[in-house]
Amino acid sequence: MTTRYYLWTVGCQMNKADSEKLAAGFDRMGLKATDRIERADIVVLNTCSVRQHAEDRAYSKLGRVRDLKKANPALKVALMGCMVGLKTDDLKKRFPQVDAFARPQQFEPIIELIEGPVEDLGGEFWPSTYAIPEGPAAFVPVVHGCNKFCTYCIVPYRRGREKSRPMDEIIRETAYLCANGVREVTLLGQTVEAYGHDLPGQPDLGDLMRELSAIDRLARIRFLTSYPKDMTHRILQAVAELPKVMESFSLPFQAGSDRVLESMRRGYTRAEYLEKIAEVRALMPNAGITTDVIVGYPGETEEDFQQTLSLIEEVRFDKVHVAAYSPRPGTIAFRKMEDDVTAATKAAWLHRIEELEHRISLEINETSVGNVEQVLIEGVRGEQPFGRTRTGKLVHLDAAVRIGSMVDVRIEHAGPFSLRGTPIDALTLA
Ligand code: SF4
């Protein structure tokens, strides 16, 4: 009888990439995927700890799994991802329904649960197993972990220190993806410009993108998430010079006030962040820049918050992802700082940023009406094909176009979140 697995994933693209790799491994072992948890023989929950909301969703799934396991004691359950730390004793007590715990990129405990003891899978990267691409755009993790230890963040404790994948391994995976229909890869890292610091010869992200550009069938390269201090002029020059690399940046600033930035241990000042933005725009005046910001950090005052608003006004980001601070157990801020901004103030600040960013995003998007943008068609929603421009903007099309096509689109309508247009020329990449 075929063994069926149910794989549930929340969190960032790194988690999604881990799940895709695990699914590829399961497929290689002859297991079949199911999207109905009650039909599964194996349940894997790939979790996220960055926000309370993500953990709450995992708790709810764990409750469902507990009931299923009562009815079927043979059900195998694995908990994976950022909820799993170095020590699992406490987790074992809290979740007796779970048979195996696996940290991010640690696949062995899950495979052992199914097959018994396994040989070394090649460390955290399981190198010879690639995810089967689901469309023309794919994620490729290039550096795992983070060394930065921002006070509010759990990532370095759960994903470990920065560890780069060997360049030839990334090239092999990208070539495999492109041979299977992929046209665009997004190179992933928690701080993606940290790529290569720990490799022999210390290549950087620009060197990697240069090598990947030589893959014929690959049309576009993106990268995220950026960390201002790691983003060197050399890397920016490579982005500007390499035709396949998209002018699309995800550059979190997190707070506009130097006092809060210092307390967060972000490692840069407001002025240094703004200098980095100026450098990007000097090289690529039309670059798309998105950002992440936190409101309600411990000790944040109205005056600090005003500086966050003024930075957003000054930079005019294409998109702002805003989150209210929530204390995460295990972080420096959780241990040492009082969560002293009220929930009502956090909600009000969040709302003010959303209003501001909607206005600015709409104003920026309206300037593209009438322009012709290159769009890679990633899929179809309802009857409408959609894809992204070179600056990372979502575009819906008013005409049927094949998924995977690269089309020139005249933009006819702009909203705060997306654009709409009509293809003027369909250049299908062979
Ligand atoms: S740079 Fe800071 S916020 Fe980003 S993953 Fe590392 S510790 Fe977390």
Side-chain angles (χ1 to χ4, degrees):
M1 194 182 73
T2 310
T3 305
R4 294 189 180 275
Y5 69 91
Y6 173 86
L7 177 52
W8 177 83
T9 309
V10 281
C12 63
Q13 283 94 350
M14 299 291 274
N15 254 19
K16 288 178 190 136
D18 283 355
S19 283
E20 284 172 6
K21 187 155 259 205
L22 183 64
F26 280 165
D27 294 344
R28 200 171 74 172
M29 291 162 69
L31 277 59
K32 290 272 172 260
T34 175
D35 55 8
R36 295 182 57 182
I37 191 169
E38 63 280 4
R39 287 204 177 165
D41 307 294
I42 300 152
V43 171
V44 180
L45 306 180
N46 193 0
T47 61
C48 170
S49 281
V50 170
R51 308 244 177 276
Q52 186 61 48
H53 176 65
E55 279 200 359
D56 291 345
R57 289 181 64 197
Y59 293 143
S60 154
K61 276 281 174 196
L62 281 161
R64 174 91 174 105
V65 167
R66 186 189 50 224
D67 296 343
L68 289 169
K69 187 133 178 164
K70 260 189 212 151
N72 172 20
L75 179 67
K76 292 177 174 168
V77 180
L79 190 71
M80 164 181 191
C82 282
M83 275 176 66
V84 181
L86 268 182
K87 296 181 188 149
T88 52
D89 295 355
D90 180 49
L91 286 173
K92 281 179 185 160
K93 271 189 221 141
R94 288 173 66 197
F95 307 118
Q97 69 273 42
V98 175
D99 303 294
F101 296 89
R103 301 180 73 197
Q105 292 110 50
Q106 191 197 20
F107 302 113
E108 285 89 342
I110 301 172
I111 305 304
E112 281 180 1
L113 182 66
I114 299 163
E115 291 202 323
V118 290
E119 61 187 66
D120 186 359
L121 294 171
E124 59 180 332
F125 301 124
W126 202 352
S128 60
T129 301
Y130 303 129
I132 298 156
E134 290 182 355
F139 293 114
V140 177
V142 300
V143 51
H144 291 271
C146 181
N147 294 352
K148 310 302 191 279
F149 289 93
C150 302
T151 53
Y152 52 84
C153 183
I154 194 71
V155 165
Y157 305 94
R158 298 296 161 85
R159 292 196 163 261
R161 304 298 173 269
E162 287 161 4
K163 186 168 180 193
S164 305
R165 296 177 67 191
M167 204 185 276
D168 58 351
E169 173 58 29
I170 297 167
I171 293 167
R172 247 197 322 274
E173 178 167 357
T174 305
Y176 164 86
L177 291 169
C178 291
N180 286 278
V182 165
R183 294 290 169 267
E184 175 189 301
V185 290
T186 301
L187 309 180
L188 293 179
Q190 304 292 342
T191 55
V192 70
E193 290 89 359
Y195 178 76
H197 293 182
D198 54 330
L199 292 177
Q202 299 192 322
D204 70 8
L205 186 67
D207 296 320
L208 175 62
M209 294 194 291
R210 201 163 276 117
E211 291 292 327
L212 292 175
S213 291
I215 298 174
D216 273 351
R217 293 173 66 90
L218 182 63
R220 303 203 307 197
I221 302 169
R222 287 172 85 196
F223 56 99
L224 54 90
T225 300
S226 291
Y227 178 71
K229 275 189 79 175
D230 286 346
M231 189 188 254
T232 62
H233 189 68
R234 191 171 185 274
I235 294 174
L236 286 177
Q237 268 183 318
V239 177
E241 284 167 19
L242 294 168
K244 292 187 179 180
V245 180
M246 295 161 68
E247 304 78 31
S248 172
F249 292 82
S250 164
L251 188 60
F253 76 96
Q254 304 300 12
S257 137
D258 279 339
R259 205 182 63 79
V260 175
L261 284 172
E262 191 180 347
S263 175
M264 289 176 163
R265 302 190 191 173
R266 284 291 290 173
Y268 53 82
T269 62
R270 174 191 176 100
E272 285 166 342
Y273 181 87
L274 290 172
E275 275 167 27
K276 202 56 75 180
I277 295 284
E279 200 178 343
V280 170
R281 287 189 169 150
L283 286 164
M284 291 156 276
N286 297 321
I289 306 177
T290 66
T291 197
D292 293 15
V293 61
I294 294 170
V295 292
Y297 181 78
E300 184 173 353
T301 63
E302 174 68 31
E303 197 181 322
D304 295 319
F305 174 68
Q306 285 299 331
Q307 293 193 50
T308 289
L309 288 180
S310 77
L311 192 145
I312 294 171
E313 286 272 17
E314 187 172 342
V315 174
R316 294 179 63 78
F317 295 99
D318 293 84
K319 175 103 192 92
V320 177
H321 303 280
V322 56
Y325 171 78
S326 67
R328 311 307 305 132
T331 61
I332 300 166
F334 182 84
R335 287 198 305 274
K336 299 196 169 165
M337 296 172 201
E338 191 188 340
D339 180 21
D340 57 358
V341 179
T342 66
T345 300
K346 286 178 187 171
W349 287 351
L350 197 119
H351 184 63
R352 278 160 73 186
I353 289 188
E354 283 176 347
E355 276 186 341
L356 175 60
E357 89 101 2
H358 286 187
R359 172 172 68 72
I360 294 173
S361 298
L362 181 59
E363 286 169 5
I364 294 173
N365 286 350
E366 279 174 342
T367 64
S368 32
V369 173
N371 291 356
V372 174
E373 302 279 352
Q374 182 204 66
V375 177
L376 174 65
I377 306 304
E378 292 178 26
V380 178
R381 258 183 226 124
E383 306 252 299
Q384 272 197 320
F386 66 89
R388 287 186 188 273
T389 66
R390 283 184 63 93
T391 56
K393 287 191 185 295
L394 181 63
V395 183
H396 297 280
L397 270 68
D398 286 333
V401 184
R402 190 165 65 77
I403 294 171
S405 308
M406 191 75 78
V407 290
D408 286 336
V409 176
R410 187 173 307 283
I411 304 300
E412 284 155 355
H413 179 268
F417 308 113
S418 64
L419 306 169
R420 210 179 67 228
T422 305
I424 58 168
D425 183 22
L427 301 170
T428 303
L429 297 176

